[in-house]
Amino acid sequence: METTQRSLTKAISWRLLATVITSSLVYAWTGEGSFAATVGLADTVVKFFIYFGHERLWNRISFGRQRKEPEYSI
């Protein structure tokens, strides 16, 4: 199970990368830096919280996980 801090760190690093990509694409299409920054910021704010919640929700779901058996026996 991941810690909240790990999920938060992953969310931040992903959103930074995604913001650069989104802003770059908007700038390439429009040539307007302030509009690209606005779209990138709005995209980041909304999707950051969605991603974080998604990570925490999946952390509660056991689908696809394997239980690790203890390496010792008593």
Side-chain angles (χ1 to χ4, degrees):
M1 196 165 208
E2 288 192 350
T3 64
T4 301
Q5 184 177 9
R6 179 176 165 83
S7 294
L8 184 60
T9 302
K10 285 172 61 179
I12 291 169
S13 67
W14 171 249
R15 285 314 318 153
L16 288 173
L17 178 61
T19 298
V20 169
I21 293 168
T22 298
S23 296
S24 297
L25 287 172
V26 172
Y27 182 74
W29 285 326
T30 66
E32 296 184 31
S34 63
F35 181 65
T38 300
V39 170
L41 181 60
D43 180 66
T44 296
V45 169
V46 170
K47 290 183 180 175
F48 174 81
F49 290 106
I50 292 171
Y51 179 84
F52 181 75
H54 182 259
E55 278 286 309
R56 298 313 296 166
L57 178 65
W58 268 99
N59 204 26
R60 295 173 180 249
I61 298 171
S62 61
F63 175 77
R65 289 190 178 184
Q66 297 177 348
R67 292 189 182 265
K68 185 175 180 182
E69 298 296 325
E71 296 179 16
Y72 60 90
S73 60
I74 298 178

